[in-house]
Amino acid sequence: MNAARPDIAVIGMACRFPGVHDPGEFWHLLLGGKSTVGRFPEHRTAPSNLTSHPEAATLTAGSFFESIDGFDAPFFGIGPAEAAAMDPVQRLGLELAWEAVEDARLPATALAGREIDVLVGAASSGYDVLRRQSGSDRDDHYSALGSSGALIANRISGLFDVRGMSLCADSGQSSSLVSLALACDRIRGGAVDMALVGGVNLIVDPESGLGLANLGALSPDARCFTFDERASGFVRGEGGGFVLLKRLDLAVADGDRVYAVVRGWSVGNGGASSHMPDPSPAAQAATVRSALGDAGVACESVDYVEAHGTGTRLGDPAELSGLREVFRATGRDRPLAIGSVKTNVGHLEPAAGIVGFVKTVLCLHHARLVPSLNFRSPNPAVPDFHDDFEVLTAARPWPGGPSRPRRAGVSAFGMGGTNAHVILEEAPPTRTEARLAGDGTLPWVLSARSQPALRERAARLRDRVHAVASLSAADVGYSLVSTRVSFEHRAVLLGGDRAQALDGLAAGQDTAGVIRGEAAGPVAPVVFVFPGQGSQWVGMGRQLYAESEVFARGIDDCADALSPWVDWSLVEVLTGAEPTASFDRVDVVQPALFAVMVSLARVWRSLGVVPEAVVGHSQGEIAAACVSGALSLADAAKVVAVRSRALTRLAGSGGGMSAVSASPSWVEERLGRWSGRLAMAAVNGPASVVISGDDEALDGFAAAADGDGVRVRRVKVDYASHSPHVERIREHLLVDLADISPRATAMEFHSTVTGQVLDPLALRGSYWYDNLRSMVRFGAVVEHLMREGGGAFVEVSPHPVLTVAMEETADALSAAPPVVGTLDKDDGSAGRVLASLAELHVRGVPVDWTEVFAAHRPRRIDLPTYPFQRRRYWLTAPEDAGSTDPGPAPQPIGSEASALRLVCAETAAVLGAKGAGPADVDLAARSTETFKDLGFDSSMAVRLRNRLTNAAGVRLPATVAFTYPTPQALGRHLFSLLAPEVPAAPDTESPESRGDDELFELIDRGYV
C-alpha cells in the first residue's frame, strides 16, 4: 500500500433482498446459483389500471419483497405519524446502515461525534404518489421529512450522530457505486477516516416502471439473460446494501475484520459521445482504464469483473465492447470471467452498483467465484465471445495469495452516461494470536429496546451458538459487550448451562444463571458502602485472591501497609493457610476486613464502577476514607491496626452489643430503663438498630423485647463500641493517631459520625476516636443520599450485612435505587462479583465488561444483528382516490356567532379523531381556552386549518391556530375575512405574542 495514497478496507456489510436477510444468506444464494425473481405480491398492488395495461405481466415480474410496510419505529426513536409519512426507502436505509455497523463488530456509539461520511444512492419508491392519493400530504407536517432525497442519508447521520458529509446521490443506475467512489476519494484525501455507503430500492407501485418498459429495457421473459443470446431486458428488484469503509492502515491497526480492499476507482460520463440513453463503449472503457490506473494494477491481474450486465440488447454488447477496448489498450491476452448479480436479484437501479460490490466482496472473502444465471450461449452481437470472456455457470475456487492476490472490478453505468468502476483486492493476511484455554465464569450480556426483541435476540444467539460449535464462551461474551450497544431491556447470562439459559430467556422465563432488568437511564451517583465488623468469614479471600489479579495486588499492597503494625500474615489469614492468627481476635479481624474492602473497591473500579461518594459504618469509615483518597493506604492501615489493637483492652470487660429489629423510636423509648448502662450504638435503617453497653443490661433489654415480640440478637464481640466504654482508651488513641495526615479529595465523604458531608481534612486522629465512641448514623445518611440523589449503592464487603437495611430504606421511596453486595459467605469467587456487576448493569449503572475478558485474549466475532420488531406503518389511499368530486360546498357564514359555531364544530371533529374529545356544544362554553389547553398538537392545528378552509372556502395559513390561539379569537378572525363589508369590531383578544420556545413546544418539531 502506498502511504501517500492509502487503500480502503471494507470492514462491515449489510444487505437485504426477498428471502435474503443478511450477507451470509446472500452468499448461500449466490453460491447455490439461485434467484429471488418472482411476481409482484397481489396484496401490495396499489390502486391503478395496471391490470389492463399490455405491459402488466412485464411490470409485475421481478424480485419483490412480500411487504415493505414494516418498520421498528420505536427502535429509531420515531413516532407513529412520522414513521407512516416516511418513504420506505428511508426505513430500509436506516436498518441496513445499523446492520452494517454491527457487522463491522463495532458498537454504534463508537461512531458518535466523529467525522464519518454517509453517502447513499437511492430514489423515490413512489410513496409520494400514495401520499397524494391518500390525501395525507394536505395536513401531514412530516411529509417533507418523509420524502427521500437527501433525508435518507441525513437520517442515518443523525442515527449515529456522525458529523461528516451526508449526501444522497442520484446519477441514475450508477448512483450507489458513484457514492462509494466519492466516499473513497474523501477517505484517501484525508477528509475522513471512515464512510458508510449504501443504496436502496423499493417499488410501491410496479406501474412506475412503465417508462422503462416503453424504452424496451424490461424483460418480457421475466428473467435477466445477461450476455446471452436471449437477452431481452432486465427485471426490477427491491432491496439494498450498505458497507462500512475505513482507511486500511487504521483498520489493520485496530484489529478490524477486513472483507476486501478497495484499490482504485473512477467515475466518468460519456458526454456527447452517444445519444441518451444509449451507452458509450468508449466512455465506459475510459472509466475502467482510469480505475486501473488509480489502483496501480495491470488489467492482466484482474480475474473477474462484476459487470453492469443488464441483459438489454444494446447494453450488454456495448459493455463488452468497452472492456475489449481496455484489453487492447493494456495488452491483456487471457479471458476475463464476468457475471451479473442482476440475474440473481434483479436490477436494483440506484442500488445496483452496491449490490454488485457486495457480491464481489463476498467472492473475494470466500475465495470462490459464483455462477451468473441464465447463460446458455453468448449474445451474437459479441463476436468471438469466448476469446475474451467467460461466464461461469458453476461455482469454482478462486486462488490467491500475497504473490498474486485475487482482484476484481465492479461496474455500474447510469442511463444518463455516468459510469463508475471500482477495483477490489482480497484482504491482507491476518496474524492469529495464541489463545488461552478455558473460559471460566464469563458473562454473556444481551439487551434490546423491548422485551420481545430481547427474547428474539436470545433466540438468534442460541441458534448461532448451536450452529457453530467452535465458538468459545470468551469470544461470544467479549463480542456481545464490545460490538453491541446496550439498550434498556437487559439480561446477563453467567456460567452454568448457557443453552438452557438462552432457551429460557427466549421463552420469556426466569432461569437460573440469568439476571434481568430494565435500565430507565444512566444511574448516578454510585455510592460505595463499607460495613463495620460482622461481614467476615474464614477463607473469605481465598478464591478471589487466586482468581483476580486486581484483588490479589490490592491484598499484597495492604499487607505491606499493615506490616509495621501487625505480627501476623494477612495473606495467610485471608486464604485460610496454616498456621494463622485467630479470626476471633479483634486486632486480626478488623485489619483483615479493611484489606478485603479496600481491595474489593479496586476490583469494582477495574470493572468501570467508580464511586462519586463513600459511606462507612463504624470501622468501615476507615476503608471509605482510604478508597476516597482522603487517607493514604499507609495512614488508613495504621488507623485500623492501632485502633483494633486498642480495642483488645476493652475485650472481656463486661461489655457487648446487640442488634435489634425495631425502629429507632421504639428502641429509644425503652433504653431509659438502663440509663448510663446502654446506648444507641448504630441506626442502620427503619427497623435496624444496634445497642451497646453492659452485658447484664443487654440481657435485660433482650428479655423485655422478647416479651414485645421484637427480635434481639447478640453481636459476636466482647466489647461495647459506640458507648461510654470506649472512653477508657480515648487518650491512648489520640496519642497514637496524632500524626495521621488526611488529604483533600473530590469524592464526597458522607460521615456517619456527623450525618453530613465531611471535609476530608477533618479526618485526623481525633475523628477516629469519635468514630468509635459516637452513635453510627448510617440509616440517616443513606436515606438522605437516596432521597437527594437516587443513584446506586454497592456494599463493598465479603458478605452483605447492610444491604437489607439499605433495601428497607429504598422501599420507602417512590423509586428504589439499586442496592447490591459484592461477595457472599457462600460464594467468594470472581463469579459472585460478576453477578453483582450484572445486577448493577441491568439497572442502568455504567460498567466495563471488557476487563472481564482481557486475560482470555478474545476475538471479536460475528453475532446476529439486531432483531427489529416491525409493525405496519403505511398511508392508505381511500376508495375514491381517483374521484373528482370537489366535496361539500363551503358553508355560508353570516355572523360572528355562526363563525364561532363552525370553529367549535371543526375543533370538536379534530379532537374526536384523536380520541374522546368535547362536543362542539361543550367547546362553545370553553371558547376562550387556548387550543393548546384543549389538547391540540401541531398536526391537529394543521388539520383544523384544512377543515376550516374546506368548510368556509377561505384560505388560511398553517399557523392560524397559533396566531389566533382560542376558538373565539379564530372565529372572529374567520368572520372578518368572510364579511369585509361589515366593519368589524376590534378583537378584544389580540393575537398573542409567543416566544420561540413556546412556539416550538406548540408545533411539536416546527414547520419546515
Side-chain angles (χ1 to χ4, degrees):
M1 182 188 74
N2 187 333
R5 292 175 57 79
D7 293 332
I8 315 299
V10 182
I11 65 170
M13 295 194 297
C15 63
R16 196 177 306 162
F17 311 101
V20 174
H21 302 94
D22 55 46
E25 292 184 3
F26 188 32
W27 175 245
H28 289 302
L29 178 90
L30 295 169
L31 197 61
K34 297 179 181 178
S35 167
T36 62
V37 174
R39 309 299 303 185
F40 194 83
E42 290 187 9
H43 65 87
R44 281 184 53 189
T45 304
S48 69
N49 297 317
L50 181 60
T51 53
S52 62
H53 196 279
E55 294 283 2
T58 299
L59 294 172
T60 56
S63 176
F64 302 109
F65 288 114
E66 186 66 20
S67 64
I68 59 172
D69 56 5
F71 183 53
D72 191 346
F75 177 87
F76 294 101
I78 295 172
E82 185 175 2
M86 289 172 65
D87 191 308
V89 296
Q90 291 189 12
R91 309 176 197 173
L92 180 58
L94 284 169
E95 292 185 1
L96 288 174
W98 183 272
E99 291 173 353
V101 172
E102 285 197 330
D103 183 70
R105 303 170 179 175
L106 293 174
T109 50
L111 276 58
R114 297 174 58 182
E115 294 288 326
I116 297 173
D117 285 350
V118 176
L119 297 102
V120 184
S124 172
S125 66
Y127 200 58
D128 51 335
V129 175
L130 187 60
R131 192 190 320 278
R132 290 193 297 272
Q133 290 178 340
S134 68
S136 63
D137 59 331
R138 297 175 60 81
D139 58 5
D140 181 5
H141 67 298
Y142 291 117
S143 60
L145 302 178
S147 58
S148 56
L151 269 297
I152 183 171
N154 298 162
R155 284 191 185 274
I156 295 169
S157 295
L159 172 66
F160 295 109
D161 188 24
V162 293
R163 314 300 173 83
M165 181 170 63
S166 186
L167 174 69
C168 185
D170 186 359
S171 60
Q173 293 74 9
S174 60
S175 297
S176 56
L177 203 63
V178 168
S179 296
L180 187 133
L182 178 56
C184 290
D185 270 336
R186 293 265 295 170
I187 294 173
R188 179 174 283 178
V192 294
D193 294 329
M194 297 175 66
L196 193 55
V197 184
V200 288
N201 190 56
L202 294 173
I203 301 166
V204 168
D205 183 359
E207 191 173 1
S208 62
L210 277 174
L212 292 171
N214 292 336
L215 279 176
L218 298 187
S219 170
D221 303 305
R223 280 188 292 173
C224 190
F225 294 104
T226 304
F227 313 125
D228 193 80
E229 64 178 352
R230 296 165 291 171
S232 58
F234 60 81
V235 293
R236 305 179 77 193
E238 291 185 315
F242 267 76
V243 296
L244 186 61
L245 306 177
K246 187 174 183 179
R247 215 174 74 192
L248 177 60
D249 57 331
L250 297 179
V252 171
D254 292 341
D256 296 320
R257 182 261 312 276
V258 177
Y259 282 109
V261 176
V262 185
R263 288 291 306 271
W265 52 89
S266 182
V267 176
N269 189 275
S273 60
S274 63
H275 182 274
M276 192 179 299
D278 295 348
S280 167
Q284 293 177 10
T287 301
V288 174
R289 289 200 307 273
S290 177
L292 289 167
D294 184 67
V297 301
C299 180
E300 182 71 19
S301 70
V302 176
D303 303 313
Y304 172 77
V305 164
E306 173 63 22
H308 188 60
T310 56
T312 55
R313 297 179 181 86
L314 186 61
D316 285 0
E319 182 169 8
L320 298 181
S321 176
L323 285 174
R324 276 179 163 164
E325 283 192 34
V326 176
F327 297 169
R328 287 193 294 270
T330 61
R332 182 185 179 100
D333 60 1
R334 68 185 181 101
L336 174 70
I338 54 176
S340 173
V341 74
K342 294 174 180 63
T343 62
N344 302 97
V345 297
H347 192 342
L348 272 74
E349 299 166 53
I354 202 71
V355 175
F357 182 88
V358 170
K359 169 194 171 181
T360 309
V361 168
L362 288 171
C363 289
L364 286 163
H365 181 64
H366 291 285
R368 291 184 73 83
L369 288 168
V370 296
S372 189
L373 310 186
N374 309 325
F375 182 80
R376 187 174 61 193
S377 58
N379 192 315
V382 185
D384 302 320
F385 179 93
H386 293 294
D387 290 347
D388 293 317
F389 303 107
E390 177 190 12
V391 178
L392 272 66
T393 57
R396 74 180 183 202
W398 188 1
S403 60
R404 195 186 184 288
R406 295 183 292 276
R407 289 196 182 117
V410 182
S411 292
F413 307 139
M415 189 182 295
T418 298
N419 308 315
H421 190 79
V422 173
I423 302 296
L424 284 165
E425 185 175 286
E426 67 174 287
T430 56
R431 292 182 299 176
T432 302
E433 294 186 359
R435 310 299 306 286
L436 297 183
D439 289 322
T441 300
L442 294 172
W444 286 5
V445 182
L446 293 88
S447 71
R449 290 279 197 204
S450 65
Q451 282 294 341
L454 182 61
R455 291 195 294 271
E456 187 175 344
R457 185 159 240 180
R460 289 187 180 187
L461 180 62
R462 175 199 59 201
D463 294 345
R464 176 65 59 87
V465 172
H466 286 173
V468 187
S470 61
L471 294 178
S472 76
D475 287 348
V476 172
Y478 176 70
S479 298
L480 285 168
V481 299
S482 65
T483 73
R484 295 296 184 261
V485 174
S486 288
F487 297 110
E488 54 268 36
H489 293 273
R490 300 178 176 183
V492 180
L493 284 63
L494 286 168
D497 188 338
R498 286 193 176 87
Q500 182 179 356
L502 284 170
D503 286 343
L505 187 58
Q509 301 168 350
D510 288 326
T511 307
V514 177
I515 298 169
R516 301 186 353 172
E518 183 174 353
V523 177
V526 171
V527 181
F528 277 6
V529 178
F530 301 88
Q533 191 169 331
S535 62
Q536 71 275 5
W537 48 280
V538 175
M540 60 185 173
R542 181 188 301 120
Q543 190 169 356
L544 195 59
Y545 188 84
E547 292 176 340
S548 170
E549 182 181 348
V550 174
F551 181 77
R553 193 162 55 244
I555 292 298
D556 292 344
D557 290 345
C558 288
D560 291 341
L562 287 167
S563 60
W565 313 106
V566 301
D567 58 0
W568 41 268
S569 166
L570 175 65
V571 174
E572 287 182 0
V573 166
L574 294 180
T575 60
E578 295 291 346
T580 186
S582 172
F583 228 38
D584 295 330
R585 290 168 46 186
V586 65
D587 60 329
V588 173
V589 71
Q590 288 200 357
L593 272 175
F594 162 82
V596 169
M597 291 190 289
V598 168
S599 300
L600 287 176
R602 291 191 183 185
V603 172
W604 278 114
R605 283 178 175 273
S606 74
L607 297 172
V609 183
V610 180
E612 295 181 37
V614 292
V615 178
H617 185 292
S618 189
Q619 80 148 83
E621 283 204 313
I622 306 172
C626 181
V627 169
S628 73
L631 289 186
S632 67
L633 180 59
D635 273 356
K638 179 178 180 180
V639 171
V640 71
V642 168
R643 206 177 73 160
S644 62
R645 191 167 61 224
L647 283 173
T648 61
R649 299 183 181 186
L650 301 180
S653 59
M657 306 176 77
S658 293
V660 185
S661 299
S663 68
S665 59
W666 188 93
V667 173
E668 191 170 13
E669 286 177 8
R670 287 153 179 79
L671 283 180
R673 290 178 53 187
W674 295 274
S675 179
R677 301 180 64 196
L678 292 180
M680 190 101 75
V683 177
N684 297 333
S688 179
V689 175
V690 177
I691 59 175
S692 180
D694 298 343
D695 282 335
E696 184 180 344
L698 289 171
D699 292 340
F701 184 94
D706 185 61
D708 290 339
V710 173
R711 182 171 178 263
V712 176
R713 177 178 54 84
R714 281 295 289 264
V715 178
K716 293 181 180 180
V717 295
D718 57 354
Y719 53 87
S721 294
H722 310 290
S723 78
H725 285 226
V726 177
E727 294 171 4
R728 304 173 196 169
I729 59 174
R730 178 178 182 275
E731 296 304 322
H732 178 75
L733 283 179
L734 292 180
V735 171
D736 286 353
L737 300 179
D739 61 346
I740 298 301
S741 301
R743 304 172 297 191
T745 177
M747 194 179 300
E748 289 186 355
F749 183 93
H750 289 259
S751 169
T752 53
V753 175
T754 67
Q756 306 290 330
V757 177
L758 190 70
D759 182 349
L761 296 179
L763 297 174
R764 299 187 178 277
S766 60
Y767 180 85
W768 299 110
Y769 166 75
D770 294 339
N771 165 273
L772 189 59
R773 170 63 181 86
S774 303
M775 181 180 75
V776 180
R777 306 174 188 274
F778 179 80
V781 169
V782 168
E783 181 179 5
H784 173 76
L785 276 166
M786 287 184 175
R787 288 189 183 278
E788 293 298 316
F793 293 76
V794 182
E795 182 175 341
V796 186
S797 68
H799 184 76
V801 293
L802 295 174
T803 297
V804 172
M806 289 191 288
E807 292 279 16
E808 288 177 342
T809 301
D811 287 344
L813 304 176
S814 57
V819 178
V820 303
T822 305
L823 295 179
D824 188 284
K825 65 182 180 181
D826 296 322
D827 187 355
S829 69
R832 178 62 254 174
V833 178
L834 292 181
S836 299
L837 186 71
E839 291 173 23
L840 290 179
H841 169 74
V842 300
R843 291 289 299 277
V845 177
V847 307
D848 180 7
W849 289 107
T850 57
E851 178 63 26
V852 178
F853 300 94
H856 298 270
R857 300 176 191 166
R859 302 169 301 166
R860 289 178 291 166
I861 60 172
D862 286 332
L863 296 172
T865 53
Y866 188 85
F868 296 115
Q869 303 298 294
R870 302 180 184 91
R871 52 163 291 190
R872 178 178 169 84
Y873 296 95
W874 202 248
L875 301 174
T876 304
E879 295 292 334
D880 59 349
S883 172
T884 58
D885 183 0
Q891 300 179 24
I893 296 180
S895 67
E896 190 173 293
S898 63
L900 177 59
R901 283 195 299 272
L902 176 62
V903 170
C904 289
E906 298 300 343
T907 299
V910 171
L911 287 168
K914 181 182 180 184
D920 54 334
V921 291
D922 298 325
L923 282 168
R926 300 173 61 185
S927 63
T928 58
E929 295 184 31
T930 66
F931 289 109
K932 178 183 177 183
D933 291 338
L934 290 171
F936 267 58
D937 59 24
S938 59
S939 60
M940 294 167 67
V942 176
R943 286 198 292 274
L944 176 61
R945 184 281 304 265
N946 295 340
R947 293 183 68 92
L948 288 174
T949 297
N950 291 334
V954 62
R955 185 175 181 179
L956 298 169
T959 56
V960 69
F962 305 122
T963 307
Y964 300 91
T966 68
Q968 184 182 84
L970 182 53
R972 288 173 179 168
H973 175 66
L974 185 62
F975 178 65
S976 72
L977 294 176
L978 293 171
E981 69 280 1
V982 179
D987 283 344
T988 58
E989 183 175 349
S990 61
E992 295 184 11
S993 174
R994 299 180 178 274
D996 287 345
D997 289 344
E998 184 179 359
L999 182 61
F1000 278 114
E1001 178 186 353
L1002 283 174
I1003 65 177
D1004 181 31
R1005 302 276 187 102
Y1007 292 90
V1008 292

